[in-house]
Amino acid sequence: MVSSTDIAQRIIEAVLAQRLAPGTRLGEQSLSMLFDCSRTLVREALVRLAARGIVTVSSRRGWYVVQPSHDEAREAFEARRVIETGLIRSTKGMDKNAFKRLRQHLKQEQAALKGDDVGQRSYLLGDFHVCLAECLGNQLLADTLRDFTARTTLIAMLYQSNHDAVQSCQDHVDIVAALERGDTDTAERLMEAHIGQVQAALRLGTLNDPLADLREALAPVREASEGAAVARKRKSRPDTPPTPSDTYLGALL
C-alpha cells in the first residue's frame, strides 16, 4: 500500500527530474488513480508538500506546483548558500564510505551526461547536494536541502536557466576532490561559486514584463515568425526544460 509519504516523495523526485514544471496542476482524482489510493492520502501528501513550499492550493482551482517569484528565487539560493557552505565549514571530516558514496554518485552524473535522459541527469545533479549533506553527517539539513533543491529546480525551469550541466558536474567533482584533500576552505569557496553560477544563469528578466505574451502575439508578422523559429529550435534541443503541458507524473509510475 502506498503512503502519503511515498506520494510526496515521488512528486519531489518528479520535480527534481524536471518532469513536473512550475504551475502544473495536480488533480487529487488523477493522482489517486495513478497511485491507486484514496483521495485522502493524496490530499495528505499535497498538504505536506504545501508546508514544504513545493505546491500551492487555490480554493477554486485546486493544487498546483509552485511558481516562485523573483524574490523567492533569490531567497531560495541564499538559503542553499548558507546551508551548504555552512555544512562544509563545520565538517569534522568524512570517512571512506562517505567518499566512496560521493564518487559513485559522480560516476552516475557523468554517465547521465553521456545519455539522452534529461530527467535522470537533472535529478542526479540536484541530488548531489542532498547526498553531500548526508555524507557530511546532517540528515535534518539534508532533508531541508532536498526541498530547497527542488525549489531551485523549479526556478531554473521557470526562468529558463542556461547553466551548463557539464560544468555543474565538474564543479561537483572539484568540490569532492577538495574535501578528499581535507581542504575545506577551498571546498567551501567552490560550493559558494557553484551556487552563485547556477543563480547567475537564470534569466530573471524574462518575467519582468507583464505584457510579454501579448506583446509577442501582437508583434509584426515577421517578428512573430522569427520568434516561432527560435521556439522551434529551442524545442529541438534536449536540454530545453519541458512546458507544463508536456509534463506528467505518469512517467515515474
Side-chain angles (χ1 to χ4, degrees):
M1 291 292 292
V2 69
S3 68
S4 60
T5 300
D6 295 330
I7 297 170
Q9 181 60 31
R10 295 288 288 279
I11 291 175
I12 290 286
E13 290 175 357
V15 169
L16 288 171
Q18 296 189 8
R19 289 175 176 163
L20 284 176
T24 302
R25 188 174 186 277
L26 300 172
E28 291 182 12
Q29 183 62 36
S30 298
L31 289 174
S32 67
M33 292 173 62
L34 283 171
F35 287 104
D36 191 21
C37 67
S38 69
R39 292 181 63 170
T40 299
L41 278 181
V42 169
R43 195 174 300 115
E44 287 178 4
L46 294 173
V47 168
R48 289 185 181 185
L49 292 175
R52 295 162 63 179
I54 306 300
V55 304
T56 187
V57 64
S58 168
S59 57
R60 293 186 178 182
R61 299 173 63 230
W63 298 91
Y64 289 83
V65 179
V66 297
Q67 299 186 73
S69 66
H70 288 192
D71 287 341
E72 289 170 334
R74 174 182 52 78
E75 290 171 359
F77 277 98
E78 286 179 356
R80 280 191 58 182
R81 188 177 290 107
V82 169
I83 292 173
E84 298 192 60
T85 58
L87 277 171
I88 292 174
R89 188 183 313 122
S90 62
T91 185
K92 305 299 181 182
M94 291 186 289
D95 60 28
K96 293 181 179 180
N97 289 333
F99 282 117
K100 181 179 179 180
R101 180 183 173 190
L102 285 171
R103 285 193 296 270
Q104 180 61 35
H105 196 288
L106 293 175
K107 288 181 180 179
Q108 291 176 333
E109 286 185 30
Q110 291 163 342
L113 288 173
K114 297 176 182 178
D116 56 5
D117 190 338
V118 178
Q120 177 71 358
R121 183 186 68 193
S122 174
Y123 176 82
L124 288 169
L125 290 173
D127 192 56
F128 166 81
H129 296 269
V130 179
C131 179
L132 177 59
E134 290 175 341
C135 289
L136 288 170
N138 196 314
Q139 185 61 52
L140 179 61
L141 285 180
D143 292 340
T144 301
L145 194 56
R146 180 175 288 105
D147 293 345
F148 279 120
T149 301
R151 285 177 68 83
T152 52
T153 298
L154 290 170
I155 290 164
M157 296 171 69
L158 182 62
Y159 295 106
Q160 301 176 36
S161 173
N162 59 11
H163 188 66
D164 183 10
V166 174
Q167 181 59 53
S168 187
C169 180
Q170 185 57 50
D171 290 347
H172 296 169
V173 171
D174 294 341
I175 291 167
V176 172
L179 287 170
E180 286 193 281
R181 296 193 306 269
D183 189 353
T184 55
D185 289 341
T186 296
E188 181 183 346
R189 186 175 68 254
L190 289 170
M191 179 62 79
E192 183 165 9
H194 171 61
I195 296 173
Q197 288 167 3
V198 175
Q199 184 177 7
L202 301 176
R203 295 176 58 190
L204 291 176
T206 57
L207 297 189
N208 281 338
D209 183 1
L211 301 178
D213 291 341
L214 185 60
R215 190 186 309 282
E216 182 177 350
L218 298 180
V221 174
R222 182 177 179 183
E223 283 187 39
S225 298
E226 291 174 350
V230 171
R232 287 194 297 271
K233 183 177 180 182
R234 183 180 299 146
K235 187 176 181 180
S236 68
R237 297 174 182 169
D239 291 341
T240 304
T243 60
S245 61
D246 293 331
T247 55
Y248 62 100
L249 190 63
L252 295 180
L253 299 177

